[in-house]
Amino acid sequence: AQQPGTPLSDQEYRQFFRSLRTARRASTACLLRALYGCQNPLVRRLDEYENHGVIPEGPICSELPGTPFFPDFCTFSFSRCARKRYFIKV
């Protein structure tokens, strides 16, 4: 079992994004995020699942080229959606 708040492993990410594999599905999840924000219960559940049950607080390091740091997971997620880089990990 992974420590709560840590990102998913590569295998876990494949499983997590299996239902979002097409850009259309991933963009729908991003639309929910844009419409309802990070505090929406569905969005929070997705974020918690992506991070082993706990949404990380504080600065986030990412694999996004040109922007390696974000102040929080919500900002990272919005950026990932805006850049249409849906499957980038933290």
Side-chain angles (χ1 to χ4, degrees):
Q2 294 287 330
Q3 183 176 358
T6 60
L8 301 176
S9 69
D10 289 343
Q11 181 179 357
E12 289 168 324
Y13 259 92
R14 282 191 292 280
Q15 177 67 27
F16 174 70
F17 285 118
R18 182 171 288 153
S19 65
L20 301 175
R21 276 293 175 210
T22 67
R24 182 174 160 194
R25 288 181 181 165
S27 67
T28 299
C30 286
L31 179 60
L32 286 173
R33 183 179 298 283
L35 288 173
Y36 301 110
C38 293
Q39 299 309 312
N40 176 273
L42 176 58
V43 173
R44 287 189 62 80
R45 270 190 303 225
L46 287 170
D47 290 350
E48 288 170 350
Y49 182 82
E50 186 177 352
N51 293 284
H52 292 102
V54 176
I55 301 169
E57 294 181 18
I60 302 294
C61 298
S62 81
E63 296 176 352
L64 276 171
T67 314
F69 298 101
F70 294 89
D72 53 41
F73 190 79
C74 183
T75 306
F76 163 72
S77 296
F78 272 112
S79 179
R80 181 169 62 179
C81 286
R83 293 176 182 209
K84 297 182 181 179
R85 302 291 304 270
Y86 306 118
F87 309 112
I88 297 290
K89 291 174 54 172
V90 294

